[in-house]
Amino acid sequence: MSPSAGEPPQTPERKLSSSGLAGVFKHLAGGRLNRSPVPVTPSTALSISPVANVFLSRSVGMGDTSTGMELYGALAQNELLFQQLKPGRPFLERIAAAEAFRQVIEMYPLNGVINIWSAAHDLIDQSNPPDVRKAGFELLTTCVKHSDPSAELERRQYFETLSAYWHDDDFALQLAALRQLTNHGKSLGASQYSILPVLNKWLKYWFQLSASARAIIKRELGTKPTGVLLAEKNLAAIFTFTTEVLRFNFPILLEENVVVLLEQVIFVCKKTTAEADIGLSIQIFNAIITYGYVPVQMLRPTIEILCTVIQSIKNLYEASWAAMRNLCRSSLTHSTVSILLDILHEAPQNQSQLNTVRGALMVMENVMTFDKTENLPSVPFAIFIDAVQSSLGINSSRLESEILRTLKVFILDQRHRSMILLEDWTSFIAILIHCTRRYLEGSHSNRDPEPKSKSLRFHASKMEASGSILPPTFLEIILKLEELCREEEFPQKESIIDFFIHIHAQLPDSTVELVVKTYDEKRLCYPSHPNWLSNSKQLLDFFFRSPSRPSSTRLHLLISLKGVYEIVDLMSKSDLNEFLTAIFGGAASESDPAVMEALVAFAVEVARHGDQEPFDIVVKFLRDCVLIVSPSNTSPSPKAASSPLRPTNSGAIIQESPPSVSLPSINNYAAKGLVSIFIHSFCRSTEKACFVFKELLQLAKAETVSADARLTAMKLLFRLRSDCEHAIYLVTSTDSKELAASLCRTAASFAERYHAEDTVQSRLAKADDASSSSARSSRSASVGQPLNRTSARSANGNGRANRLAIPLWMEPDLDPFSSEPAPAMASQFLFSYLESQSQLTTQTEPKSVLCSPQKLSLNLWLEAIIPILQHPGDWEVYSYVLVHLGSQLTNHTLFHGCIPQIKLLRNVLCEQMKVNSFNEPPMASGAKRADVTIPIFHILTMLISYKRHFSKNEEDELVRTFMLGLGSWEKTAKRCIHALSICCYEIPLSISKSLNPLLQRMSQIITQAQVAVHILEFLGTLARMPNLYVNFREEDFRTVFGICFRYLQYVRDQRPKSSARASFVSTRHGAVSRGEYNASLENGNYQSSDDVPQYVYSLAYHVITFWFMSVKLDDRYKYTQWITKNLISTDLYGRESIEEQSQVTLDMMRRVAFSDWDETTADPNFVTSSSRHIESKAWIIGNSIVTVDTATSSGWAQATMRSPSGTMHLSIKPQFQRPPYHKIQSPSEQIGDSKGESSRRAILPSFYLLQMISPMIQTPDGARPILLADDEVTRRAIGAFDRISTLDGHKVGVIYIASGQSQEQEILANVSGSDDYLQLLEGLGTLTKLKGATFNTQGLDREYNTDGEFTFCWRDRVTEIVFHVPTQMPTNLEHDPQCANKKRHTGNDFVNIIFNDSGLPFRFDTFPSDFNYVNIVITPESRPSSIGNRTLFQNDSGDQFYLIQVITKEAFPEISPAAETKIVSLKALPQFVRLLALNASVVSLVWANREGGEHVSSWCSRLREINKLRDRCSSSANSSSSINTVLTTSLSPTFNPAPTSVLGMGNFPSRESSVRDSITTRRTSAGTFMTNESTQRSSMLSTATETDIPEGELLVESCDFSKWV
């Protein structure tokens, strides 16, 4: 009995009889041992538990237990051990005894150990301490182990003991003893009927205990237990032992016990939360199935549990499938399959049942797909698929996924597919459709894992990107079905295509292509099919409207539908409209550029060939496309050009990396479609064209539309023109390249600006790097200073990027109409103006309303443009309007009915210039704010031609605006000067009113080299219009002269610098590349005054000459001294010199200062009327050759004064007084009388010379006349001098190009021209007869009229122009088919005036020639109509306007005010063109002599001849020159630093004040120049007689004739 609580354990007595223990063993063994004693070894001795060993040593009185043989020998003789095991002894003694007996029994197996256990059986009592119970169970286990197997009663006693005892802590020992009793389930003995109930009871108890423990831990800790609980260990041990019992004893077990066991196991499977419990349960199932059978009543529950585990627990799939496989192989095969099908047919009530269904599906899949060698049952596919379809009544996406996975197996595997191809696929398709619908409803909760196939991953990713929610399994099924459908003999193709239509939104792209192809091949969308229209709508709605579909698929579908359209177009119109509505109705929101482009092309085709209703449908579609506002329709934002953009030296733009520029907006495709429709309807349907025109207007002014779409519309609208009959036509080029270059909108200008920006950014980056480096060095003394700024810059290269962005438009635009060819002819039905219907002159009457004449509302176009100029939004649109508006405004007939809008436009632009309110370009454009003024002033220049619609105040405001542009903005001065030149012709009263401030402004900018030539040309133009300066005062004339002198002074100050530069020939035109020249020309940076200095230098003297002659005759002498002083230059050494050009200018002043007469002629009757005896002598006086022919007898004389600027003949007939009678004859008179009256020599030529120059007799010898020898050399020299004209002669061709002509031969064959051409000729010059002409006809025949009988000529006191007019020349195509005789003249003319009446653009190479440098092209602002030429309105030449453009040979300098197209009236045309031709001819002469020579004017040539004659006489007489001037031998501004010393004048005293101020102040005006002169000498406003000449100005005094004349 166990000791009571708190009672100390009893100590056993130490002395025991040695014979007592031996007697016990003897009794137990029945007097003998059943086997030989096991020898005791040290190891066995040591195996005795320490407690037992100590107890034994104490009880037998032995102190040493190291020798086991002696110990056991002693124990065998000791009977006290048994006594100590009995109840009543202290637990310590009993434990020691039990341990001792256990070890003895292990070493000496004995029979009858039941007695020992009987003595110790109370040790396992539940009330005993744990160590006591443990010792008892260990002894029990040993006794059971060594009990006699045949002793059933004894084993039964053990079983009852073990089954009856119950304590949780000892259950492991208890179960171990039971397992030992049954030999691990192999030998049940008498317990065969009781074992399962006991195990079932234990199973139930320990599962409940385990479940409770788990729940408690989870409740307290919040998580599942991580370790293994004691109850779980015991439960697992029970499962394992039960499995062992079933494996070895199933046949002898009672079925009802098995049923109860299965029920409990199934209960555990349903209730447990531990996977291990289910795994152990499956072992029991498998053991029953394998080694026995499942009772019928438990078959379905077992199958349901196994199916659930198969589906739910991945780790137990193999074990559970093995159990099911064994079940399917068992005798219950058919029942099993039937139950599985029933599970699929029945609808589950909860998640567990759902998993059962899913598991049953997997089992059936395995049964039907596993290899036949598995001996699994065969199930018909139809039965299986019906059961699967029935299971779809369950609302579960998981089940649907499993079903799809199962179907995939049948589809993908060839072995399984073969057995279903011929089956009915109705249920199969229904299942797929149902699953798809469920997924589309979005009720699924699980997604399949990522597919392993690379191809499937690709398709899956694309489907996911497109919004597809189908799993990859479905994708695999679809792809396989697609593959099957591509087979020709696939019997289920039609059903599959229908299925694809049902799941259209989830199909991969390749499948969609298959569907579209099938519909096309089967012609399901063609009218021959009863449902063609609905089929077409399905394809459009399902596939074409889906933006996620690839462009290729959608384009394929569109192509198919275009084929349908071609058939439907021939049938019902109502069906056609419905069909087109289906196509275009919802397509406006299309975002795919390729698809939109194809849609627009389709729409254009429909609009071209369709009636009004189809036209309305497609135009509405295009309108919606351009006006819709969506993220894809925003303007393509310009990208920085730093990375991908790289301009080359030639101006081309390339990309070095993948482009980062946005693609064209979707709106732009629709805009291009509208443009194409307009162009096609241009000559075919006025109603369509007018309708589309209004749509384009709306597009152009819609600010919400993308910029590129608006530009597309504007490209067409800005190219509208009308002919002389107001018929509308289109031009491909607007000739706006130079204006575009001012805003960096050409390749060359953009490249130049890009490089400049790049250079600036590089410099800034270097400066930043230098500053940061300095900062780092200053911080180097401090510790811990981060260098983040440097690191950041290092990461970004130089830290700066080029800010320029790629523009949306550039000039020239090679494709303005989006690849649509422009009509060559004008429309016969579209007009810009219709006054009355009767005024329309058409060849045929309109056949329908589509071809009735219509007027385009061009006033609406201007009304759309003006707000863009007033309130600029997008820079791309604004800049395009600025560049192209001016060109369109030149077409007056186009805007005939838009006068209010024209006036408003003028007001807006003038006001913007006045208040400086025009738009500022963005930094990324590369343009500056001042650049914007260039096209604005161009527009204003074109508006001058609308003068008759402006009031006087409005005209004045135009002039004031141009004056404002002279100095307010960079680069506008030149263009404003050109505009003011036009104003001189068109609105002279406004110019005259503002002429004084205008000249003052010009005087302030004369030092700008790029405008000098244009100012001088303007002054030359003004000089020929006396009505403009009729009210000029002296200071006004001085302002004009001061401008010229300022430029001459500038050139003189540059002489010392010129020696450091190369000459004009070697540098300017020898080293400048053509690409650089063109780029600078485009940007307006070309310095014409620098490149053609001889022309500009001569032009300054030319202006001085004409303006001096423009002064009133009575006032000219007042300017002579001031002009003379400014013509004489002073070098840096203080030495005065006079240049060759100054000398001839002074000579001109001498001739015209007191006379307006032209040159005189010799008296033809002088010889016959005066006397037979004539004596002649010639002298060189100054820069003149004076010849006096004297009739020695009569005294009559004729003086010829040959100077550089002209020749003067004077006849002298003295009236001699009769001598008084008292006067006697002198000896010479007497001799003369004796010889006769005829031989009498009363007066010699020298007499008259001495009388004229008697005041000069007292002057030094060097200033006296030089007598020329009376010999043949002198006479030949004077004869050669007389052959040099006193006029600068020029030849200019005038060529007429008739309508439609473009070839040189047909042009030169013209014998007449239009009325305005003839009026131009009459204004250019005077019709002059050639035969017998005494002037230089510039190569025209003067004897035989081979070049015609007449030509047109023009001359003034300085210049003469002979016009080579092919229409005036004989034309004989039979003998001269190439018109070579005409080409002989015009081909050698430097300048040709081209009257282009062809209606076609003029090409410079139309007349190939090496000598044609300049073509002045005159084009009527409205070209001839297709039905007749223009009509010249009589007495209304102010209403006829013409475009004038100077086109030059490549690399020829741009110096003309018409280098950019100008427009002038017919009234001003001849004078304006003649001046252009004259200036161009002068430049051409300079240009032609740029290599190895110089152009010398006629006056300078005459001066040089005089100087040659003087030099020859001086050398022969060994005397000094008779003039004190320095003769400069070059007209170019490139002079030697020190001029030649003054000859014959001695050394003039130098004066400090004579050295001119260097032109270092660039903005010094002519007024300032005159003020400076005033402070040094005298007031420039005083007359010459009032001027006090400082001492030392001997050269000025010698040249100034005003003081002594």
Side-chain angles (χ1 to χ4, degrees), residues 93-111:
E93 293 181 3
R94 297 188 71 186
I95 291 173
E99 180 64 20
F101 274 121
R102 188 185 64 80
Q103 294 184 7
V104 170
I105 295 173
E106 286 288 350
M107 292 185 291
Y108 300 98
L110 302 173
N111 294 325

Side-chain angles (χ1 to χ4, degrees), residues 524-526 529-536:
L524 301 179
C525 295
Y526 283 79
H529 193 279
N531 298 324
W532 71 273
L533 190 55
S534 61
N535 290 341
S536 300

Side-chain angles (χ1 to χ4, degrees), residues 645-721:
L645 192 68
R646 180 59 55 185
T648 61
N649 290 332
S650 63
I653 301 178
I654 61 174
Q655 287 187 338
E656 299 176 339
S657 62
S660 59
V661 183
S662 300
L663 294 174
S665 66
I666 295 299
N667 308 81
N668 197 24
Y669 294 102
K672 291 180 179 179
L674 290 174
V675 169
S676 298
I677 294 174
F678 178 84
I679 293 176
H680 184 268
S681 305
F682 189 71
C683 296
R684 295 173 176 85
S685 173
T686 55
E687 186 174 353
K688 290 182 179 179
C690 291
F691 189 81
V692 176
F693 174 75
K694 293 179 181 179
E695 295 296 334
L696 290 172
L697 286 180
Q698 295 298 321
L699 169 59
K701 66 182 182 180
E703 296 182 356
T704 58
V705 178
S706 60
D708 57 346
R710 298 176 68 187
L711 289 175
T712 298
M714 288 183 174
K715 287 179 181 179
L716 171 72
L717 296 173
F718 273 118
R719 284 168 172 79
L720 291 174
R721 299 291 187 273

